[in-house]
């Protein structure tokens, strides 16, 4: 993952700097040493500090950074996250990438924290999804963690997740499960298995299939129907509710006793947190 992060950050810097930061090169002496501070401009949950350190180091390993507030910490307008000292040209080259990443990550961490607080009185955990920005998934999922949420699978490779299209293409639930477990055994793969259901008939079909799954997704259920499904499942596997659940309805869903609630909105409908890097 470290190689992936470095490659991504180097490419992002290349995209921004191109042939050179000609504004800084033109008006600032190459040896000019300066300092700047990262300032919080609105309340929220901070995220991405460790990524900012990587960016500063990649731009100029001689930059000195002093961190005052770590990722996952609640912040208020006016808080100082860090100070960076070194060549002014280097600070300016790193500025936009640091802010672009941290603002987005902090926005995700903030909405995740706000949402988890709505269900904190239950045992239900808040999950993210694969509804992420291509190439930026690692950062978005890290931000969910730092906001108090839990990561679902990272990609298609680290969990079996049989969804409605898989079921329909495979010819039904039983056939999809049969083929899945045969495949896992044949290829000696140790992956958790989750399957989506759309109604109580499908819940019963999964339960009667004879296959031991780790989690059942209950997609687009009403809270009342979700409660019925959870009673049928009777702790034989973990349960996950998804589909159309938002800040207004999540409390009612969590109080059904469901183990997890997944929300794509955490990573596709957030508002970036306002941060700024200013010269001292």
């Amino acid at each position: 993952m470290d190689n992936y992060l470095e490659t991504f950050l180097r490419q992002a810097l290349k995209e921004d700097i191109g042939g050179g930061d000609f504004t800084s090169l033109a008006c600032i002496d190459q040896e000019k040493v300066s300092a700047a501070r990262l300032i919080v401009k609105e309340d929220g949950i901070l995220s991405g500090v460790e990524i900012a350190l990587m960016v500063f180091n990649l731009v100029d390993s001689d930059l000195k950074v002093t961190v005052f507030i770590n990722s996952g910490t609640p912040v208020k307008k006016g808080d100082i996250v860090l100070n960076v000292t070194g060549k002014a040209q280097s600070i300016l080259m790193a500025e936009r990438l640091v802010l672009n990443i941290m603002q987005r990550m902090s926005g995700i961490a903030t909405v995740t924290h706000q949402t988890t607080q709505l269900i904190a009185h239950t045992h239900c955990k808040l999950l993210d999804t694969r509804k992420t920005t291509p190439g930026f998934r690692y950062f978005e999922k890290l931000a969910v963690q730092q906001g108090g949420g839990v990561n679902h699978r990272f990609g298609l490779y680290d969990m079996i997740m049989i969804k409605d299209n898989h079921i329909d293409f495979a010819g039904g639930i039983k056939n999809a499960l049969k083929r899945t477990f045969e495949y896992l055994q044949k290829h000696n793969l140790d992956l958790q298995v989750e399957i989506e259901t759309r109604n109580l008939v499908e819940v019963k079909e999964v339960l009667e299939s004879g296959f031991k799954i780790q989690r059942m997704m209950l997609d687009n259920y009403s809270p009342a129907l979700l409660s019925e499904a959870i009673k049928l499942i009777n702790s034989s596997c973990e349960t996950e509710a998804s589909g159309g659940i938002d800040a207004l309805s999540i409390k009612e869903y969590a109080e059904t006793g469901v183990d997890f609630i997944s929300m794509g909105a955490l990573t596709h409908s957030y508002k970036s947190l306002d941060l700024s890097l200013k010269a001292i």
Side-chain angles (χ1 to χ4, degrees):
M1 186 54 71
D2 287 343
N3 288 338
Y4 164 79
L5 291 178
E6 183 173 338
T7 300
F8 176 91
L9 294 175
R10 287 191 183 280
Q11 185 59 39
L13 288 167
K14 182 179 179 181
E15 176 187 57
D16 194 32
I17 298 168
D21 175 9
F22 294 120
T23 307
S24 297
L25 291 170
C27 66
I28 300 173
D29 185 270
Q30 183 178 358
E31 300 305 318
K32 171 72 173 178
V33 173
S34 299
R37 59 180 48 161
L38 185 61
I39 304 170
V40 177
K41 300 183 74 175
E42 61 179 316
D43 297 357
I45 302 295
L46 189 68
S47 181
V49 174
E50 52 282 281
I51 307 301
L53 296 180
M54 293 180 67
V55 174
F56 284 127
N57 185 64
L58 285 173
V59 169
D60 184 348
S61 59
D62 289 330
L63 289 175
K64 305 299 181 186
V65 184
T66 303
V67 175
F68 304 116
I69 306 175
N70 293 314
S71 295
T73 304
V75 289
K76 295 185 178 298
K77 182 179 179 180
D79 284 348
I80 307 300
V81 176
L82 58 81
N83 285 351
V84 55
T85 304
K87 290 183 178 179
Q89 289 184 357
S90 298
I91 294 172
L92 289 167
M93 280 193 289
E95 175 187 6
R96 180 42 52 196
L97 183 57
V98 165
L99 291 175
N100 281 348
I101 290 175
M102 286 195 65
Q103 286 177 319
R104 286 161 174 77
M105 290 183 67
S106 297
I108 292 170
T110 298
V111 71
T112 300
H113 174 76
Q114 291 169 344
T115 308
T116 59
Q117 294 307 294
L118 299 174
I119 60 174
H121 62 293
T122 73
H123 80 272
C124 183
K125 303 298 182 186
L126 182 65
L127 294 174
D128 55 24
T129 71
R130 283 172 50 244
K131 296 176 182 178
T132 53
T133 308
F136 203 65
R137 183 175 299 179
Y138 172 84
F139 303 93
E140 291 173 335
K141 283 184 168 284
L142 177 59
V144 168
Q145 288 182 14
Q146 293 177 345
V150 177
N151 292 150
H152 209 307
R153 59 178 179 161
F154 190 86
L156 293 171
Y157 58 85
D158 58 342
M159 183 180 185
I160 295 287
M161 188 167 174
I162 307 169
K163 300 197 74 176
D164 53 353
N165 283 336
H166 298 98
I167 292 168
D168 293 340
F169 288 156
I173 285 175
K174 289 183 180 178
N175 199 39
L177 286 170
K178 180 176 181 294
R179 291 177 64 89
T180 292
F181 281 93
E182 287 175 348
Y183 182 88
L184 291 175
Q185 184 174 22
K186 178 181 178 180
H187 294 278
N188 195 29
L189 292 172
D190 183 20
L191 296 173
Q192 290 199 336
V193 177
E194 177 172 4
I195 189 166
E196 177 182 330
T197 62
R198 294 164 282 192
N199 50 61
L200 295 182
V201 172
E202 290 189 346
V203 170
K204 293 175 183 177
E205 192 172 351
V206 173
L207 295 175
E208 294 168 0
S209 69
F211 293 101
K212 177 63 177 176
I213 62 169
Q214 280 71 48
R215 188 181 302 170
M216 195 183 305
M217 176 183 284
L218 306 154
D219 193 44
N220 287 304
Y221 284 55
S222 68
L225 196 60
L226 182 63
S227 294
E228 287 189 53
I230 290 170
K231 289 178 183 177
L232 280 174
I233 295 166
N234 193 28
S235 300
S236 61
C237 65
E238 295 175 338
T239 54
E240 175 188 339
S242 68
I245 302 172
D246 58 20
L248 296 176
S249 61
I250 192 170
K251 179 176 180 287
E252 186 177 5
Y253 276 94
E255 288 175 348
T256 64
V258 71
D259 297 310
F260 299 96
I261 290 175
S262 54
M263 291 179 61
L266 298 178
T267 54
H268 71 58
S269 298
Y270 62 91
K271 173 186 173 294
S272 294
L273 193 73
D274 197 4
L275 305 170
S276 182
L277 191 70
K278 294 295 184 184
I280 298 175

